Amino acid sequence: MNDRFFASDNSAPVHPEVMEALRAANEGHAISYGDDRWTREATKSLRRLLGRKASVHFVYNGTGANVLGMQAGIAGYHAIVCTDVSHINTDECGAPERATGAKLLPVPTQDGRMQPDQILGHLHAIGVAHHSQPRVVSLTQSTELGTVYETDLVKEIAKVCHKNDLLLHLDGARISNAAVALGKDLDEITSRLGVDILSFGGTKNGLMFGEAVVFFRPELETAFSYIRKQGMQLASKMRYIAAQFQALYGTDLWRGLAAHANEMASTLAAELVQLPDVEIVYPVQANAVFARLPRSVIAEAQGEVFFYVWDEDASVVRLMCSYDTTASDVERLVAAIRRSLKVQ
Amino acid sequence: MNDRFFASDNSAPVHPEVMEALRAANEGHAISYGDDRWTREATKSLRRLLGRKASVHFVYNGTGANVLGMQAGIAGYHAIVCTDVSHINTDECGAPERATGAKLLPVPTQDGRMQPDQILGHLHAIGVAHHSQPRVVSLTQSTELGTVYETDLVKEIAKVCHKNDLLLHLDGARISNAAVALGKDLDEITSRLGVDILSFGGTKNGLMFGEAVVFFRPELETAFSYIRKQGMQLASKMRYIAAQFQALYGTDLWRGLAAHANEMASTLAAELVQLPDVEIVYPVQANAVFARLPRSVIAEAQGEVFFYVWDEDASVVRLMCSYDTTASDVERLVAAIRRSLKVQ
Amino acid sequence: MNDRFFASDNSAPVHPEVMEALRAANEGHAISYGDDRWTREATKSLRRLLGRKASVHFVYNGTGANVLGMQAGIAGYHAIVCTDVSHINTDECGAPERATGAKLLPVPTQDGRMQPDQILGHLHAIGVAHHSQPRVVSLTQSTELGTVYETDLVKEIAKVCHKNDLLLHLDGARISNAAVALGKDLDEITSRLGVDILSFGGTKNGLMFGEAVVFFRPELETAFSYIRKQGMQLASKMRYIAAQFQALYGTDLWRGLAAHANEMASTLAAELVQLPDVEIVYPVQANAVFARLPRSVIAEAQGEVFFYVWDEDASVVRLMCSYDTTASDVERLVAAIRRSLKVQ
Amino acid sequence: MNDRFFASDNSAPVHPEVMEALRAANEGHAISYGDDRWTREATKSLRRLLGRKASVHFVYNGTGANVLGMQAGIAGYHAIVCTDVSHINTDECGAPERATGAKLLPVPTQDGRMQPDQILGHLHAIGVAHHSQPRVVSLTQSTELGTVYETDLVKEIAKVCHKNDLLLHLDGARISNAAVALGKDLDEITSRLGVDILSFGGTKNGLMFGEAVVFFRPELETAFSYIRKQGMQLASKMRYIAAQFQALYGTDLWRGLAAHANEMASTLAAELVQLPDVEIVYPVQANAVFARLPRSVIAEAQGEVFFYVWDEDASVVRLMCSYDTTASDVERLVAAIRRSLKVQ
């Protein structure tokens, strides 16, 4: 099996410039827990990208960012409206429920995107003590299915949220891929659309570890230092998270990396769609390709270039591209699938 | 203010060999969440040091290691006997209580070390539904006050624990310093003494981030993969934690680093004890020196070489040495204190 | 508005024999928290009905019974498969999630009854750390929609559960109505079918307050005294719960009361089905009638005899009969609906 | 063994007038969950006693009242300052920690009463993310040791609380005994002194079950209906809690019952103090007597009239009087002790 694969965008190594930034930060002593110049600098850079209202707090990982970010706005009797395929619903082993006590209210989706009217159905519960009280709507941008919310859709959802005293959370594990896909700046797809809480992802775009919780409402920030510490996500040597973010988001590097990953996905999809018996099942808008392959083909192709099956029953696989996916990686995967398909 | 200080052993940078290991691990793709060769290798190294019964699980930080490690053995109605100065009791913002639901039962200490008979007083509660049920005894080695448990004392505490169906947890944020202080191997101060759960620290001995939860009883491991994931401590790019551990604990490097930190503390204490109006308040057995200084001296000396006040009322400061503390760092601190004391 | 209604079976008063039992228990002192002869006697009676393996623990209410009963078998990383209309999913304000940390996995139902193959879909998650681990299947008997699981269906579901190391929980808030409906004894519809945890309801069958958690596996009982106390459901003057249960379940009274409630529902449905524009939407098998009424009729009829709208959009109402519903109550309701329908 | 004892004030039966009120409430249907006339009436009565700012919410028991009442004002990262002998610290099996995630900070007491300066020591933690943030001070009135806080002391503690943005919680499981002891009305020892949250006890003063959470700040009430429901303490047939409270607190009955219990304790203490080798260890100010008895005497006397040993090591027993303790009960106990002491 080849040692480069399409399993996940967190299979990729750390980008060389990030690694260099870590090396550069490795000088002298620094006060721990974030009272250091690297953290101040990276915070400033992120606020430059996300807007002056943004308050930025580094944490270890995406689950931490999602859970603790939402926790800042909710109590145990609240509910979180999310899609049924959302990471918080399916891939965090119940961390949101356990950490917050809140209930998840998953709504079905065709392509990973929630529709505004799906929120409305849950508003009947408001004010009735027997029901968990909807308080957060959580979207993922780009979605777990490789699609991207148009800005108008996010804006409309934000409107529904704020009209009903709900907070809008954005799981931005792949926010950079979304920004690039939409041709927008990061603030244009978050704060300016009414997002209240953002999980700002870095690990899937070339970092070693580290994500940021970003609040766009000052009241959410008030107690976050305690929530983060009690939530076991306060890094002692925080400079090493901050320095990574600075390497990517203190420059335009993030944009190039995400653009490349998206482009590779697009190339891959364009190749696959020409193959017989292969179907692309969701619009390829970011760095993921979901394809239906004949069952027999999957295992054989996996043996050559590793990737994950997404839906066993539907025979759909997920092919993730990352900032370091090369054209020849794509070629190799397509060739493997062609071979399994017995296509000349 | 000098940019090197005695504030904490996590103020130090990452050891160069650890940094080099990170660079070396930064090649090609790796399956995420720990199914990679670096994780396998580091796990093997730790098991070599800790004994064949050891099951090793990497997490992000010390609070995570303490809380999730103990969580593997307890339910919400349990209680954890610990010292009043323990990190879990005073420095984790209530993370143990919130994550596990269990109650902490802090016992007073003279010098950071628990005595076996302090456990006995809490055993009356066992079997009575109104009281939280003691289930874990948690020691810190080396202690938060810079002292070290003699192996016989740990063994005796372990005996009390196991006789009463309690688990023995060791917060080993500075386990390397303790091993060196005792002139023992790591297994000789953990598994062989009856420790059941170990928080194995690396960050305070030269790593960038990362700790390990180690279980010495197979039943504790069973569900830990879920506990770690739900506890938001499962690293996606785990190879970068593992590679660091391998750099330190795959060789004898850890021992040298810890020995150096201890030695610097010892040197510092030897110097300070000769000064008028300075008192060393706890035995200096690992890498921390707790000293009582005249109140007026503290702020002045802090202005030159930063360190933390430990007990405002008692005018006691904490001076932490780390693997990279130099003899001239010590000299500079002593000189600063001498100057403030107006000693020639 | 009449002061007798069809809102809920917990709108009814306490049965006179239960009230008399309370009066009779009100003599002399009793050791609190259950170490009294009333508790021993009622426990014995319930075990006589439910089988020798049954361990019986009184709690305050149904939510307490459901949540704490399941809590005895699960950890935070587990999941509970239930129907989307189940009380634990929709009417406990997220108590199961908050108390246990576990995730609820609701499956859709046509008539309140889960089908065995709906469990299978969730078993893929088992063994994968990213997903909450299915551990309990929770059924409601009789269901929230007034239907009753045939014993074969429960047996089949139990088989699926036990084959996959899942526990079967039965929310028996209306277990007596189900037993009567099926013409079975209580053990024949619980322990003998493979139920592991039973929430045994009394309040909806004529008690003032009090339910029982019943375990059919000894290992579930081990820590329950602590779970109940920490769960705030340990009654100090427990004799007053026990005496009530004894009044109902120490004799055959329970059967008569449940039978009467069921019969009234059946009578009511038979009347309603003859009316134009009225549709009975679920099989009437226990003490609830769900009927679709013309929208205009609902408010008018409610004004005469109170009941709840179940589904605003579908124009469906819920009409609950209780042990004290009389034939003339039914007549009065039917008459009110007829009047609103302008039926002669 | 006699069937009347001094084990606890919840060993007593239900007062006949309370039983009669239950019988009287047992007429017709009532909307469940508190939307009934009994609940409205009892709420009004309690507000008459406690002041217009009081918002009253019935729950099942004292642990529920304590935990949920405090939960309304705190988040997981908060801490609760309480005495080491407080019920919340020692007798609720960790319910406060588990339900709220908060940390308990017990302070030692001589006689059950906290002193204002004991709070101050914990205020250093405020603002530091590593430490649980003090947010509630919890007193018990009358205390677990049978003493009573003078109003000035409560007022002083309230002042310290409010100056430091802390809430003052009063565990009033025996609030009636305290009021009578102080010769005050209930508002004079709660709202007028600055109490913010009151657990208003009834069960220990003659009720069957039921307590009330009372808030004196409107913002604490806002979400309480959800907290109570999710906390499993919302009674479906609430009229039966309310009717009991109305029987006791809608009239002056509560005062007579508490006064009698206090008087019996006082009589008992007066008798015991005259015996050789018997020492009264805390001031007898409410309905409890704590006495040191020769070890050999305890078991012998317990065999005749049951009571609990409070402190095995110190040979101290707790003798609780209740509203129904009679002069001849006291005589019988004193006689038993005399006999065991071999006093003529």
Side-chain angles (χ1 to χ4, degrees):
Chain A
M1 192 176 83
N2 195 279
D3 73 340
R4 298 183 58 81
F5 26 86
F6 289 78
S8 174
D9 32 9
N10 57 32
S11 295
V14 179
H15 189 271
E17 293 192 30
V18 172
M19 198 54 106
E20 170 54 25
L22 285 171
R23 204 203 48 72
N26 203 36
E27 287 294 328
H29 287 187
I31 294 295
S32 31
Y33 303 113
D35 187 8
D36 65 73
R37 62 184 171 85
W38 294 270
T39 302
R40 277 187 289 277
E41 194 181 33
T43 299
K44 227 162 118 184
S45 293
L46 286 185
R47 296 187 65 199
R48 202 176 300 128
L49 290 172
L50 293 165
R52 303 217 119 221
K53 286 191 310 179
S55 83
V56 174
H57 309 267
F58 295 109
V59 295
Y60 284 116
N61 64 356
T63 298
N66 284 335
V67 170
L68 301 187
M70 293 191 295
Q71 191 178 325
I74 59 178
Y77 51 84
H78 282 134
I80 298 161
V81 181
C82 58
T83 70
D84 54 0
V85 295
S86 63
H87 197 268
I88 61 169
N89 189 44
T90 64
D91 282 298
E92 301 186 350
C93 198
E97 286 95 336
R98 183 171 177 100
T100 71
K103 189 181 199 66
L104 263 57
L105 298 172
V107 300
T109 71
Q110 292 306 316
D111 62 5
R113 285 176 283 215
M114 190 187 292
Q115 296 304 318
D117 57 6
Q118 294 186 296
I119 302 166
L120 301 179
H122 285 296
L123 301 182
H124 294 309
I126 289 181
V128 182
H130 301 264
H131 308 320
S132 295
Q133 298 293 297
R135 174 70 177 134
V136 168
V137 169
S138 177
L139 310 180
T140 308
Q141 177 74 311
S142 59
T143 75
E144 290 83 359
L145 302 183
T147 53
V148 172
Y149 284 89
E150 286 296 327
T151 53
D152 280 355
L153 182 50
V154 175
K155 202 186 265 175
E156 200 185 332
I157 289 175
K159 218 166 136 186
V160 172
C161 286
H162 298 154
K163 198 177 154 182
N164 293 287
D165 197 27
L166 304 179
L167 296 166
L168 180 56
H169 168 255
L170 201 68
D171 178 348
R174 297 186 182 95
I175 188 73
S176 303
N177 302 88
V180 163
L182 292 163
K184 301 279 187 187
D185 285 332
L186 288 165
D187 61 338
E188 291 176 317
I189 65 167
T190 56
S191 50
R192 297 218 193 159
L193 301 181
V195 170
D196 299 302
I197 305 166
L198 170 66
S199 297
F200 190 99
T203 310
K204 288 184 161 77
N205 199 26
L207 302 193
M208 182 184 285
F209 70 108
E211 313 273 315
V213 171
V214 183
F215 298 115
F216 298 106
R217 291 184 179 216
E219 71 270 25
L220 293 170
E221 182 189 21
T222 317
F224 192 70
S225 63
Y226 310 113
I227 290 173
R228 180 173 60 175
K229 176 67 197 178
Q230 193 177 33
M232 307 184 284
Q233 290 273 328
L234 177 62
S236 57
K237 297 183 172 177
M238 198 182 284
R239 59 169 146 171
Y240 298 103
I241 298 182
Q244 295 181 70
F245 268 93
Q246 179 62 12
L248 228 59
Y249 294 94
T251 70
D252 246 14
L253 180 57
W254 67 272
R255 210 187 287 271
L257 300 189
H260 178 78
N262 287 7
E263 199 190 313
M264 288 296 102
S266 170
T267 305
L268 174 59
E271 296 276 349
L272 291 180
V273 85
Q274 296 174 34
L275 299 181
D277 302 326
V278 174
E279 185 194 348
I280 303 299
V281 294
Y282 305 116
V284 176
Q285 301 174 332
N287 64 324
V289 177
F290 289 79
R292 182 173 291 114
L293 301 180
R295 223 167 287 269
S296 62
V297 168
I298 294 178
E300 209 178 312
Q302 272 181 320
E304 293 194 48
V305 182
F306 190 65
F307 53 81
Y308 285 113
V309 174
W310 180 256
D311 183 333
E312 192 85 40
D313 297 338
S315 199
V316 167
V317 303
R318 186 186 78 160
L319 308 167
M320 292 302 301
C321 296
S322 58
Y323 81 87
D324 83 326
T325 301
T326 63
S328 71
D329 289 339
V330 171
E331 260 173 58
R332 195 176 305 112
L333 173 60
V334 174
I337 293 174
R338 289 175 69 97
R339 261 193 303 282
S340 311
L341 284 165
K342 320 283 183 214
V343 175
Q344 297 301 317
Chain B
M1 191 175 82
N2 195 278
D3 73 340
R4 298 183 58 81
F5 26 86
F6 290 77
S8 173
D9 32 7
N10 56 33
S11 295
V14 179
H15 189 272
E17 294 192 29
V18 172
M19 200 53 106
E20 170 54 24
L22 286 171
R23 204 203 47 72
N26 203 37
E27 288 293 327
H29 287 187
I31 295 294
S32 32
Y33 303 114
D35 187 7
D36 63 74
R37 62 184 171 86
W38 294 271
T39 303
R40 278 187 288 276
E41 193 180 35
T43 299
K44 226 161 121 184
S45 294
L46 286 185
R47 296 187 66 198
R48 202 177 300 127
L49 291 171
L50 293 165
R52 304 216 117 223
K53 286 191 310 179
S55 83
V56 174
H57 310 267
F58 295 109
V59 296
Y60 284 116
N61 64 356
T63 298
N66 283 336
V67 170
L68 300 186
M70 293 191 294
Q71 191 178 326
I74 60 179
Y77 51 84
H78 282 133
I80 298 161
V81 181
C82 59
T83 70
D84 54 0
V85 296
S86 63
H87 197 269
I88 60 170
N89 190 44
T90 64
D91 282 297
E92 301 185 351
C93 198
E97 286 94 337
R98 181 168 176 102
T100 70
K103 189 182 199 65
L104 263 57
L105 298 172
V107 301
T109 71
Q110 291 305 317
D111 61 5
R113 284 176 284 215
M114 190 187 293
Q115 296 304 317
D117 57 6
Q118 295 186 297
I119 301 165
L120 301 178
H122 285 296
L123 301 182
H124 294 309
I126 290 180
V128 182
H130 301 265
H131 309 319
S132 295
Q133 299 293 296
R135 175 67 177 136
V136 168
V137 169
S138 177
L139 310 179
T140 307
Q141 177 75 312
S142 59
T143 75
E144 291 81 1
L145 302 182
T147 53
V148 173
Y149 284 90
E150 286 295 328
T151 52
D152 279 356
L153 182 49
V154 175
K155 203 185 264 175
E156 200 185 332
I157 289 174
K159 218 166 135 185
V160 172
C161 286
H162 298 154
K163 198 176 154 185
N164 293 287
D165 197 27
L166 304 180
L167 296 167
L168 180 56
H169 168 255
L170 202 68
D171 177 348
R174 297 185 182 96
I175 188 73
S176 303
N177 302 87
V180 163
L182 293 163
K184 301 279 186 187
D185 285 334
L186 288 165
D187 62 338
E188 291 176 316
I189 65 167
T190 57
S191 49
R192 297 217 193 160
L193 301 180
V195 170
D196 300 301
I197 305 166
L198 170 65
S199 298
F200 190 99
T203 310
K204 289 185 161 75
N205 199 26
L207 301 193
M208 183 184 285
F209 70 107
E211 312 273 316
V213 172
V214 183
F215 298 115
F216 298 105
R217 291 182 177 218
E219 71 270 24
L220 293 170
E221 183 190 19
T222 317
F224 192 69
S225 63
Y226 311 113
I227 290 173
R228 180 173 60 177
K229 175 67 198 178
Q230 193 177 32
M232 309 183 282
Q233 291 273 328
L234 177 61
S236 57
K237 297 182 172 178
M238 199 182 284
R239 58 170 147 171
Y240 298 103
I241 298 182
Q244 294 181 70
F245 268 93
Q246 180 62 13
L248 228 61
Y249 295 94
T251 70
D252 247 14
L253 180 56
W254 67 271
R255 211 188 286 271
L257 299 189
H260 178 78
N262 287 6
E263 200 189 312
M264 288 296 102
S266 170
T267 304
L268 174 58
E271 296 275 350
L272 290 180
V273 85
Q274 297 175 32
L275 297 181
D277 302 324
V278 175
E279 187 194 348
I280 303 299
V281 294
Y282 304 117
V284 177
Q285 300 175 332
N287 63 325
V289 177
F290 289 80
R292 181 173 292 114
L293 300 180
R295 222 167 288 269
S296 61
V297 168
I298 294 178
E300 207 178 314
Q302 271 180 322
E304 294 194 49
V305 182
F306 190 65
F307 53 82
Y308 285 112
V309 174
W310 179 256
D311 182 332
E312 191 86 39
D313 298 336
S315 199
V316 168
V317 303
R318 186 185 78 159
L319 308 167
M320 293 301 301
C321 296
S322 58
Y323 81 88
D324 84 327
T325 300
T326 63
S328 70
D329 290 338
V330 171
E331 259 173 59
R332 196 176 303 115
L333 174 60
V334 173
I337 293 174
R338 288 175 70 97
R339 260 193 304 280
S340 311
L341 284 166
K342 321 285 183 211
V343 176
Q344 298 301 318
Chain C
M1 191 174 82
N2 196 279
D3 74 341
R4 298 182 59 81
F5 26 87
F6 290 78
S8 174
D9 32 9
N10 57 32
S11 295
V14 179
H15 189 270
E17 293 192 30
V18 172
M19 200 53 108
E20 170 55 23
L22 284 171
R23 205 204 46 72
N26 203 35
E27 286 295 326
H29 286 188
I31 294 294
S32 33
Y33 303 112
D35 187 7
D36 64 74
R37 63 184 171 84
W38 294 270
T39 303
R40 277 187 288 277
E41 195 181 33
T43 299
K44 228 162 117 184
S45 294
L46 286 185
R47 295 187 66 198
R48 201 177 300 125
L49 291 172
L50 293 165
R52 304 218 117 220
K53 285 191 310 178
S55 83
V56 174
H57 310 267
F58 296 109
V59 295
Y60 283 115
N61 64 355
T63 298
N66 284 335
V67 170
L68 300 187
M70 293 192 293
Q71 190 178 326
I74 59 177
Y77 52 84
H78 283 134
I80 299 161
V81 181
C82 58
T83 71
D84 54 0
V85 297
S86 62
H87 197 269
I88 60 169
N89 190 44
T90 64
D91 282 299
E92 301 185 351
C93 198
E97 285 95 337
R98 181 169 178 102
T100 69
K103 187 180 201 68
L104 264 57
L105 297 172
V107 300
T109 71
Q110 291 305 317
D111 62 5
R113 284 177 283 215
M114 191 187 295
Q115 297 304 317
D117 56 8
Q118 295 186 296
I119 301 165
L120 302 179
H122 285 296
L123 300 181
H124 295 308
I126 290 180
V128 182
H130 301 264
H131 309 319
S132 295
Q133 298 293 297
R135 175 69 177 133
V136 169
V137 169
S138 178
L139 309 179
T140 308
Q141 176 76 308
S142 58
T143 75
E144 291 82 359
L145 302 183
T147 53
V148 173
Y149 284 88
E150 286 296 327
T151 53
D152 280 355
L153 181 49
V154 175
K155 202 186 263 173
E156 200 185 333
I157 289 174
K159 218 165 135 187
V160 171
C161 287
H162 298 153
K163 198 177 153 184
N164 293 287
D165 197 28
L166 304 180
L167 297 166
L168 181 56
H169 168 255
L170 203 67
D171 178 347
R174 298 186 181 95
I175 188 73
S176 303
N177 302 87
V180 164
L182 292 164
K184 302 279 186 185
D185 286 332
L186 286 165
D187 61 337
E188 292 176 315
I189 65 167
T190 56
S191 50
R192 297 216 193 162
L193 302 180
V195 170
D196 301 302
I197 306 166
L198 170 65
S199 298
F200 190 99
T203 310
K204 289 184 159 77
N205 199 27
L207 301 192
M208 182 183 287
F209 71 108
E211 313 273 315
V213 172
V214 183
F215 298 115
F216 297 105
R217 292 183 178 217
E219 71 270 24
L220 293 171
E221 181 189 21
T222 318
F224 192 71
S225 63
Y226 311 113
I227 289 173
R228 180 173 60 177
K229 175 66 198 179
Q230 192 178 34
M232 307 183 284
Q233 291 273 329
L234 176 63
S236 57
K237 297 182 172 178
M238 199 182 283
R239 58 170 146 170
Y240 297 104
I241 297 181
Q244 295 181 68
F245 269 93
Q246 180 61 14
L248 227 60
Y249 294 95
T251 71
D252 247 13
L253 181 56
W254 66 273
R255 211 187 287 271
L257 300 189
H260 177 78
N262 288 6
E263 200 189 313
M264 288 296 102
S266 171
T267 306
L268 174 58
E271 296 277 350
L272 291 180
V273 85
Q274 296 175 33
L275 298 181
D277 303 323
V278 174
E279 185 195 349
I280 303 298
V281 293
Y282 305 116
V284 176
Q285 301 176 330
N287 63 325
V289 178
F290 289 79
R292 182 173 290 115
L293 300 180
R295 222 167 288 268
S296 61
V297 168
I298 295 178
E300 208 178 313
Q302 271 180 322
E304 293 195 49
V305 182
F306 190 65
F307 53 82
Y308 285 113
V309 174
W310 179 256
D311 183 334
E312 191 85 41
D313 298 337
S315 199
V316 168
V317 303
R318 186 186 79 159
L319 308 167
M320 292 302 302
C321 296
S322 57
Y323 80 88
D324 83 328
T325 300
T326 63
S328 71
D329 290 337
V330 170
E331 260 173 58
R332 196 176 305 114
L333 174 61
V334 173
I337 293 173
R338 289 177 69 98
R339 260 194 303 282
S340 311
L341 284 166
K342 320 286 183 213
V343 176
Q344 297 301 317
Chain D
M1 191 176 82
N2 194 280
D3 74 341
R4 298 183 58 81
F5 25 86
F6 291 78
S8 175
D9 31 9
N10 56 31
S11 295
V14 179
H15 189 271
E17 294 191 30
V18 172
M19 199 54 107
E20 171 55 23
L22 285 171
R23 205 203 46 71
N26 204 36
E27 286 295 328
H29 286 188
I31 294 294
S32 32
Y33 304 113
D35 187 7
D36 64 74
R37 62 184 171 85
W38 294 270
T39 303
R40 278 186 288 276
E41 193 180 34
T43 300
K44 226 161 119 185
S45 294
L46 286 185
R47 295 187 67 198
R48 201 177 301 125
L49 290 172
L50 293 165
R52 305 216 118 222
K53 285 191 310 179
S55 83
V56 174
H57 310 266
F58 295 110
V59 295
Y60 284 115
N61 64 355
T63 298
N66 284 336
V67 170
L68 301 187
M70 292 191 294
Q71 190 178 327
I74 59 178
Y77 51 84
H78 282 135
I80 298 161
V81 181
C82 59
T83 71
D84 54 359
V85 297
S86 63
H87 197 268
I88 59 169
N89 190 43
T90 65
D91 282 298
E92 300 184 353
C93 198
E97 285 95 337
R98 182 170 177 100
T100 70
K103 186 181 201 68
L104 264 58
L105 298 172
V107 300
T109 71
Q110 291 305 316
D111 62 6
R113 285 177 282 217
M114 191 188 293
Q115 297 304 316
D117 57 7
Q118 295 185 298
I119 302 165
L120 301 179
H122 284 296
L123 300 182
H124 294 309
I126 289 180
V128 182
H130 301 264
H131 309 319
S132 294
Q133 299 293 297
R135 175 71 176 133
V136 169
V137 169
S138 177
L139 310 179
T140 308
Q141 177 75 309
S142 57
T143 74
E144 290 83 359
L145 302 183
T147 53
V148 172
Y149 284 89
E150 287 295 328
T151 52
D152 280 355
L153 182 49
V154 175
K155 200 185 266 174
E156 200 184 332
I157 289 174
K159 217 166 137 187
V160 171
C161 286
H162 298 153
K163 197 177 153 183
N164 293 285
D165 197 28
L166 304 179
L167 297 166
L168 181 55
H169 168 254
L170 203 67
D171 177 348
R174 298 184 180 96
I175 188 73
S176 304
N177 302 88
V180 163
L182 292 164
K184 302 279 186 186
D185 285 333
L186 288 164
D187 62 338
E188 292 177 314
I189 65 167
T190 55
S191 50
R192 297 218 192 159
L193 301 180
V195 171
D196 300 301
I197 306 166
L198 170 65
S199 297
F200 191 100
T203 310
K204 289 184 160 78
N205 199 26
L207 302 193
M208 182 184 286
F209 71 107
E211 313 273 315
V213 172
V214 183
F215 298 114
F216 298 106
R217 291 184 179 215
E219 72 270 23
L220 293 171
E221 183 190 19
T222 317
F224 193 69
S225 63
Y226 311 113
I227 289 173
R228 180 172 61 176
K229 176 66 197 179
Q230 192 178 33
M232 308 183 283
Q233 290 274 328
L234 177 63
S236 57
K237 297 183 173 179
M238 199 182 283
R239 59 169 146 171
Y240 297 103
I241 297 181
Q244 294 181 70
F245 268 93
Q246 180 61 13
L248 227 61
Y249 295 94
T251 71
D252 246 15
L253 181 54
W254 66 272
R255 210 188 287 270
L257 300 189
H260 177 79
N262 287 5
E263 198 189 315
M264 287 296 103
S266 169
T267 306
L268 173 58
E271 296 276 349
L272 291 180
V273 85
Q274 296 174 34
L275 298 181
D277 303 324
V278 174
E279 185 194 348
I280 304 298
V281 293
Y282 305 117
V284 176
Q285 301 175 331
N287 64 325
V289 177
F290 289 79
R292 181 173 291 115
L293 300 180
R295 222 167 289 269
S296 61
V297 169
I298 295 177
E300 209 178 312
Q302 272 180 321
E304 293 194 49
V305 182
F306 190 64
F307 53 83
Y308 285 113
V309 174
W310 179 256
D311 182 333
E312 192 86 41
D313 298 336
S315 199
V316 168
V317 304
R318 186 186 78 159
L319 308 166
M320 291 303 300
C321 296
S322 57
Y323 81 88
D324 84 328
T325 300
T326 63
S328 72
D329 290 338
V330 171
E331 259 172 57
R332 196 176 304 113
L333 174 60
V334 173
I337 293 173
R338 288 176 71 99
R339 261 193 303 282
S340 310
L341 284 165
K342 321 285 183 213
V343 175
Q344 297 301 316

